[in-house]
Amino acid sequence: MSAYIELLLKKIGMNPLWDYLGYDENGDLWINDICVHELVKKYGSPLEISDLTILKKRGLSWMALTQEVAKEIGFTGGFNYFYASKANMSLPYTLAAYRAGWHIETSSVQDLENLLILYEKGQIDLNKEIICNGYKISGDSLHLTDKYAQRIVEFHNKGFNITPILDSGEVDYFTNLNLKRSMSVGLRMKFGKVENDLELENLVSRHGMGWGEVLESAEKINNSKMLCLSTFHCMVAAAETIEIEQFVNSLLFGARKYFTLKQKYSSLKYFDIGGGIPPMISQYNYRQFLDYFLSGLTDLSLEFGLEAPTVIFELGSFLTEESGFLVHTILQKKLTGASDKNKAEVWALLDGGLMSELPDMFIQNKSFSVFAGSSANCEVERVIFGDLTCDTDGRYPRKNTREEFVLLPSTEGKQIVVFAGTGSYQKMLGGFGGAHHCGILESAKVIVEDFSGETKVHFVEAQNNKTVSDLLGYSSDLLNDLSLDKTDQDMVYRQGESSVI
Ligand SMILES: Cc1ncc(COP(=O)(O)O)c(C=O)c1O
């Protein structure tokens, strides 16, 4: 085993990412059946790889695990699985999640616009259930968010099974609608790391309503002819940031509220815990979480003498994070001359812009697993990655973080590197297909999908300079409007005007 691989294994240890990553005898990295080195030879670098067979496997394994634990502990409720597209709204990801049997969670009107296209192209049908979170009403009819509420109603009228989860200020809009058939709705309670009424009352949250408002709203919904209260939504936070026991205690406090409501409103069926379940590479103890949670729900259902709910999961990053990889070539290695043996001595310059590619590095101080894409048979060295931008933050690892360097094979030859776990949020935060820092182009993309067991690879061209010029307004009407002649005339006109004033 090479020094590089030995250290890499020591650092990463046993991890589910070895389900799909591996090295061959040449030291080339493979993602499932795809050799990254070969892909770069064919399509160039930088390259974004989306292996959606991983998404599919994760989606199916979450379904299997929840059902297995439910069976083990005798949980008699059910499960319903929704893909939270906010994690990655791009077509290959949403389609892969829906094809893997997941339903649809939306966060804005954009989702519904996308879904309409999928529906019209026959890619989803009316059997897909839709849950709508996010702001739906602005109280001001000129505002865009109102379109979200209107679109929800249009989807309902088309025959979709669509459930808006209502927040403060949204109930009256929906209770006043003139609907032709009953519409399922949910209520979102403000929630977080809370375990009793006092903590809930004192919680400051942007999302959801207080318990008093939940009760009032449930009554309004009950009195309205066409709304049916089906869902109670309370999401704690990212599970990874909280001890499992505390996370479950909070959820069960929320579940107690669910049962309290259900005593009065028997139409209630779904207990929606939102997202926040971390991807498998984080090695979270899912089994323990599900064991505590489903046992607690079972106890509550016995205590209240009511049937156990159908639990709704709205998972985003659990499905998508592991499917995304970012591939770069090292353009140059620069010696820094550090004399401290524990410090990295080499800057490895990458052919891209890390700040827009990996924004969670800044937003969440997140670190990514980095792999040599080639030459893994070599000795090892410590490097810091620098990108093509002029920015001091265009580097990896970030300054002043726990990780000070990246391990790489020490070789003079051409080298490619792979950032793993980039499939959730990065693209949505960095801006899909936009113009980026220092004008660095967005990479080409390779999408790997599996159709009935057969792996298919699609290639999407990299952004080019012309596209970016267009995005920046260089080739559009704006250029005409701002052309020098016009601007001069405009200025003369304005000067003349102001002199009159
Ligand atoms: C209401 C809701 N549902 C689902 C999610 C998805 O979370 P994750 O990507 O952690 O699964 C979020 C994330 O912010 C959310 O706010």
mmCIF file of all heavy atoms in Angstrom, residues 84 86-87 105 133-134 188 207 233 235 238 272-278 314-320 424-425, ligand 1:
data_model
loop_
_atom_site.group_PDB
_atom_site.id
_atom_site.type_symbol
_atom_site.label_atom_id
_atom_site.label_comp_id
_atom_site.label_asym_id
_atom_site.label_seq_id
_atom_site.Cartn_x
_atom_site.Cartn_y
_atom_site.Cartn_z
ATOM 1 N N ALA A 84 -36.406 17.164 -0.470
ATOM 2 C CA ALA A 84 -36.357 18.621 -0.286
ATOM 3 C C ALA A 84 -35.450 19.196 -1.371
ATOM 4 O O ALA A 84 -34.227 19.179 -1.247
ATOM 5 C CB ALA A 84 -35.823 18.953 1.106
ATOM 6 N N LYS A 86 -34.564 21.979 -2.149
ATOM 7 C CA LYS A 86 -33.666 23.110 -1.859
ATOM 8 C C LYS A 86 -32.214 22.627 -1.807
ATOM 9 O O LYS A 86 -31.296 23.405 -2.035
ATOM 10 C CB LYS A 86 -34.052 23.816 -0.554
ATOM 11 C CG LYS A 86 -34.160 22.897 0.646
ATOM 12 C CD LYS A 86 -34.474 23.632 1.919
ATOM 13 C CE LYS A 86 -35.918 24.019 2.141
ATOM 14 N NZ LYS A 86 -36.942 23.010 2.167
ATOM 15 N N ALA A 87 -32.009 21.349 -1.522
ATOM 16 C CA ALA A 87 -30.634 20.832 -1.456
ATOM 17 C C ALA A 87 -29.979 20.838 -2.832
ATOM 18 O O ALA A 87 -28.779 21.096 -2.965
ATOM 19 C CB ALA A 87 -30.629 19.416 -0.887
ATOM 20 N N GLU A 105 -40.991 17.932 -1.961
ATOM 21 C CA GLU A 105 -41.152 19.063 -1.025
ATOM 22 C C GLU A 105 -40.678 20.308 -1.746
ATOM 23 O O GLU A 105 -39.614 20.303 -2.361
ATOM 24 C CB GLU A 105 -40.330 18.852 0.244
ATOM 25 C CG GLU A 105 -40.630 19.875 1.327
ATOM 26 C CD GLU A 105 -39.536 20.899 1.599
ATOM 27 O OE1 GLU A 105 -38.486 20.867 0.927
ATOM 28 O OE2 GLU A 105 -39.722 21.754 2.475
ATOM 29 N N ASN A 133 -43.465 24.032 1.626
ATOM 30 C CA ASN A 133 -42.989 24.903 2.696
ATOM 31 C C ASN A 133 -42.601 26.234 2.080
ATOM 32 O O ASN A 133 -42.727 26.437 0.878
ATOM 33 C CB ASN A 133 -41.789 24.258 3.401
ATOM 34 C CG ASN A 133 -42.229 23.168 4.360
ATOM 35 O OD1 ASN A 133 -43.054 23.405 5.239
ATOM 36 N ND2 ASN A 133 -41.688 21.974 4.189
ATOM 37 N N GLY A 134 -42.084 27.136 2.898
ATOM 38 C CA GLY A 134 -41.633 28.429 2.374
ATOM 39 C C GLY A 134 -42.748 29.467 2.422
ATOM 40 O O GLY A 134 -43.925 29.124 2.595
ATOM 41 N N ARG A 188 -47.446 24.643 10.545
ATOM 42 C CA ARG A 188 -46.059 24.573 10.999
ATOM 43 C C ARG A 188 -45.938 25.276 12.339
ATOM 44 O O ARG A 188 -46.249 26.462 12.467
ATOM 45 C CB ARG A 188 -45.131 25.234 9.977
ATOM 46 C CG ARG A 188 -43.671 25.160 10.413
ATOM 47 C CD ARG A 188 -42.729 25.417 9.269
ATOM 48 N NE ARG A 188 -41.359 25.223 9.719
ATOM 49 C CZ ARG A 188 -40.312 25.234 8.935
ATOM 50 N NH1 ARG A 188 -40.457 25.411 7.637
ATOM 51 N NH2 ARG A 188 -39.093 25.053 9.410
ATOM 52 N N HIS A 207 -39.507 30.752 11.490
ATOM 53 C CA HIS A 207 -40.479 29.857 10.859
ATOM 54 C C HIS A 207 -41.479 29.329 11.884
ATOM 55 O O HIS A 207 -41.113 29.037 13.011
ATOM 56 C CB HIS A 207 -39.768 28.636 10.247
ATOM 57 C CG HIS A 207 -38.749 29.021 9.214
ATOM 58 N ND1 HIS A 207 -39.101 29.561 8.018
ATOM 59 C CD2 HIS A 207 -37.403 28.950 9.229
ATOM 60 C CE1 HIS A 207 -38.009 29.798 7.314
ATOM 61 N NE2 HIS A 207 -36.963 29.438 8.036
ATOM 62 N N HIS A 233 -46.328 20.072 11.298
ATOM 63 C CA HIS A 233 -44.916 20.157 10.918
ATOM 64 C C HIS A 233 -44.100 20.764 12.035
ATOM 65 O O HIS A 233 -44.404 21.861 12.513
ATOM 66 C CB HIS A 233 -44.822 21.037 9.663
ATOM 67 C CG HIS A 233 -43.454 21.113 9.041
ATOM 68 N ND1 HIS A 233 -42.361 21.656 9.682
ATOM 69 C CD2 HIS A 233 -43.007 20.714 7.817
ATOM 70 C CE1 HIS A 233 -41.311 21.587 8.869
ATOM 71 N NE2 HIS A 233 -41.677 21.025 7.740
ATOM 72 N N MET A 235 -39.860 20.999 12.739
ATOM 73 C CA MET A 235 -38.484 20.570 12.436
ATOM 74 C C MET A 235 -37.558 21.126 13.505
ATOM 75 O O MET A 235 -37.600 22.322 13.813
ATOM 76 C CB MET A 235 -38.092 21.108 11.056
ATOM 77 C CG MET A 235 -36.633 20.903 10.721
ATOM 78 S SD MET A 235 -36.298 21.180 8.959
ATOM 79 C CE MET A 235 -34.510 21.352 9.006
ATOM 80 N N ALA A 238 -30.533 20.790 12.358
ATOM 81 C CA ALA A 238 -29.663 19.755 11.797
ATOM 82 C C ALA A 238 -29.329 18.752 12.913
ATOM 83 O O ALA A 238 -28.771 19.123 13.941
ATOM 84 C CB ALA A 238 -28.396 20.385 11.252
ATOM 85 N N ASP A 272 -44.799 15.664 10.477
ATOM 86 C CA ASP A 272 -43.734 16.016 9.534
ATOM 87 C C ASP A 272 -42.541 16.587 10.306
ATOM 88 O O ASP A 272 -42.651 17.655 10.924
ATOM 89 C CB ASP A 272 -44.308 17.055 8.551
ATOM 90 C CG ASP A 272 -43.336 17.462 7.458
ATOM 91 O OD1 ASP A 272 -42.126 17.230 7.628
ATOM 92 O OD2 ASP A 272 -43.798 18.026 6.444
ATOM 93 N N ILE A 273 -41.427 15.879 10.266
ATOM 94 C CA ILE A 273 -40.265 16.333 11.056
ATOM 95 C C ILE A 273 -39.248 17.086 10.200
ATOM 96 O O ILE A 273 -38.141 17.374 10.643
ATOM 97 C CB ILE A 273 -39.582 15.171 11.816
ATOM 98 C CG1 ILE A 273 -38.887 14.195 10.858
ATOM 99 C CG2 ILE A 273 -40.564 14.458 12.721
ATOM 100 C CD1 ILE A 273 -37.877 13.286 11.547
ATOM 101 N N GLY A 274 -39.596 17.417 8.966
ATOM 102 C CA GLY A 274 -38.708 18.210 8.103
ATOM 103 C C GLY A 274 -37.457 17.439 7.711
ATOM 104 O O GLY A 274 -37.493 16.212 7.528
ATOM 105 N N GLY A 275 -36.354 18.165 7.584
ATOM 106 C CA GLY A 275 -35.101 17.530 7.136
ATOM 107 C C GLY A 275 -34.080 17.531 8.265
ATOM 108 O O GLY A 275 -34.430 17.379 9.431
ATOM 109 N N GLY A 276 -32.826 17.693 7.889
ATOM 110 C CA GLY A 276 -31.774 17.785 8.900
ATOM 111 C C GLY A 276 -31.101 16.455 9.216
ATOM 112 O O GLY A 276 -30.247 16.393 10.105
ATOM 113 N N ILE A 277 -31.490 15.393 8.522
ATOM 114 C CA ILE A 277 -30.813 14.095 8.749
ATOM 115 C C ILE A 277 -29.539 14.101 7.904
ATOM 116 O O ILE A 277 -29.593 14.253 6.684
ATOM 117 C CB ILE A 277 -31.725 12.915 8.328
ATOM 118 C CG1 ILE A 277 -33.083 12.990 9.051
ATOM 119 C CG2 ILE A 277 -31.039 11.572 8.569
ATOM 120 C CD1 ILE A 277 -33.030 12.855 10.549
ATOM 121 N N PRO A 278 -28.388 13.955 8.544
ATOM 122 C CA PRO A 278 -27.130 14.124 7.802
ATOM 123 C C PRO A 278 -26.842 12.979 6.835
ATOM 124 O O PRO A 278 -27.346 11.863 7.014
ATOM 125 C CB PRO A 278 -26.070 14.148 8.910
ATOM 126 C CG PRO A 278 -26.692 13.428 10.041
ATOM 127 C CD PRO A 278 -28.169 13.619 9.950
ATOM 128 N N GLU A 314 -38.591 15.062 5.136
ATOM 129 C CA GLU A 314 -38.303 15.939 3.973
ATOM 130 C C GLU A 314 -36.791 16.030 3.870
ATOM 131 O O GLU A 314 -36.184 16.964 4.386
ATOM 132 C CB GLU A 314 -38.844 17.351 4.218
ATOM 133 C CG GLU A 314 -40.322 17.458 4.471
ATOM 134 C CD GLU A 314 -40.714 18.856 4.975
ATOM 135 O OE1 GLU A 314 -39.830 19.690 5.256
ATOM 136 O OE2 GLU A 314 -41.907 19.104 5.100
ATOM 137 N N LEU A 315 -36.176 15.050 3.251
ATOM 138 C CA LEU A 315 -34.715 15.017 3.271
ATOM 139 C C LEU A 315 -34.106 15.600 2.000
ATOM 140 O O LEU A 315 -34.559 15.326 0.891
ATOM 141 C CB LEU A 315 -34.207 13.587 3.468
ATOM 142 C CG LEU A 315 -34.725 12.828 4.690
ATOM 143 C CD1 LEU A 315 -33.884 11.583 4.944
ATOM 144 C CD2 LEU A 315 -34.774 13.687 5.931
ATOM 145 N N GLY A 316 -33.072 16.397 2.191
ATOM 146 C CA GLY A 316 -32.349 16.984 1.079
ATOM 147 C C GLY A 316 -30.943 16.416 1.019
ATOM 148 O O GLY A 316 -30.640 15.501 0.238
ATOM 149 N N SER A 317 -30.076 16.903 1.919
ATOM 150 C CA SER A 317 -28.661 16.528 1.811
ATOM 151 C C SER A 317 -28.412 15.028 1.993
ATOM 152 O O SER A 317 -27.456 14.500 1.450
ATOM 153 C CB SER A 317 -27.807 17.341 2.780
ATOM 154 O OG SER A 317 -28.491 17.595 3.950
ATOM 155 N N PHE A 318 -29.274 14.349 2.747
ATOM 156 C CA PHE A 318 -29.075 12.904 2.894
ATOM 157 C C PHE A 318 -29.063 12.233 1.522
ATOM 158 O O PHE A 318 -28.308 11.307 1.266
ATOM 159 C CB PHE A 318 -30.178 12.295 3.774
ATOM 160 C CG PHE A 318 -30.022 10.817 3.980
ATOM 161 C CD1 PHE A 318 -29.240 10.319 5.010
ATOM 162 C CD2 PHE A 318 -30.622 9.903 3.113
ATOM 163 C CE1 PHE A 318 -29.070 8.945 5.185
ATOM 164 C CE2 PHE A 318 -30.455 8.534 3.273
ATOM 165 C CZ PHE A 318 -29.675 8.064 4.321
ATOM 166 N N LEU A 319 -29.919 12.733 0.641
ATOM 167 C CA LEU A 319 -30.002 12.122 -0.694
ATOM 168 C C LEU A 319 -28.900 12.623 -1.628
ATOM 169 O O LEU A 319 -28.348 11.862 -2.415
ATOM 170 C CB LEU A 319 -31.369 12.423 -1.327
ATOM 171 C CG LEU A 319 -32.444 11.366 -1.095
ATOM 172 C CD1 LEU A 319 -32.994 11.492 0.299
ATOM 173 C CD2 LEU A 319 -33.561 11.509 -2.090
ATOM 174 N N THR A 320 -28.625 13.922 -1.567
ATOM 175 C CA THR A 320 -27.840 14.504 -2.658
ATOM 176 C C THR A 320 -26.340 14.659 -2.391
ATOM 177 O O THR A 320 -25.545 14.627 -3.327
ATOM 178 C CB THR A 320 -28.364 15.913 -2.992
ATOM 179 O OG1 THR A 320 -28.322 16.714 -1.802
ATOM 180 C CG2 THR A 320 -29.770 15.871 -3.519
ATOM 181 N N SER A 424 -24.925 18.649 -2.276
ATOM 182 C CA SER A 424 -26.054 19.392 -1.694
ATOM 183 C C SER A 424 -25.673 20.835 -1.430
ATOM 184 O O SER A 424 -24.574 21.109 -0.942
ATOM 185 C CB SER A 424 -26.536 18.729 -0.402
ATOM 186 O OG SER A 424 -25.537 18.736 0.552
ATOM 187 N N TYR A 425 -26.594 21.698 -1.728
ATOM 188 C CA TYR A 425 -26.533 23.138 -1.450
ATOM 189 C C TYR A 425 -25.431 23.890 -2.194
ATOM 190 O O TYR A 425 -25.656 25.046 -2.572
ATOM 191 C CB TYR A 425 -26.446 23.427 0.068
ATOM 192 C CG TYR A 425 -27.680 22.941 0.801
ATOM 193 C CD1 TYR A 425 -27.661 21.775 1.549
ATOM 194 C CD2 TYR A 425 -28.890 23.606 0.675
ATOM 195 C CE1 TYR A 425 -28.815 21.293 2.179
ATOM 196 C CE2 TYR A 425 -30.049 23.146 1.299
ATOM 197 C CZ TYR A 425 -29.990 22.002 2.053
ATOM 198 O OH TYR A 425 -31.139 21.533 2.652
HETATM 199 C C1 LIG B 1 -38.474 22.722 6.165
HETATM 200 C C2 LIG B 1 -37.262 22.032 5.660
HETATM 201 N N1 LIG B 1 -37.377 20.788 5.163
HETATM 202 C C3 LIG B 1 -36.304 20.120 4.692
HETATM 203 C C4 LIG B 1 -35.045 20.683 4.700
HETATM 204 C C5 LIG B 1 -33.890 19.893 4.132
HETATM 205 O O1 LIG B 1 -32.908 19.723 5.059
HETATM 206 P P1 LIG B 1 -31.671 18.737 4.783
HETATM 207 O O2 LIG B 1 -31.032 19.147 3.533
HETATM 208 O O3 LIG B 1 -30.828 18.906 5.975
HETATM 209 O O4 LIG B 1 -32.259 17.358 4.694
HETATM 210 C C6 LIG B 1 -34.873 21.965 5.228
HETATM 211 C C7 LIG B 1 -33.548 22.604 5.237
HETATM 212 O O5 LIG B 1 -33.334 23.734 5.561
HETATM 213 C C8 LIG B 1 -36.009 22.668 5.707
HETATM 214 O O6 LIG B 1 -35.905 23.900 6.204
#
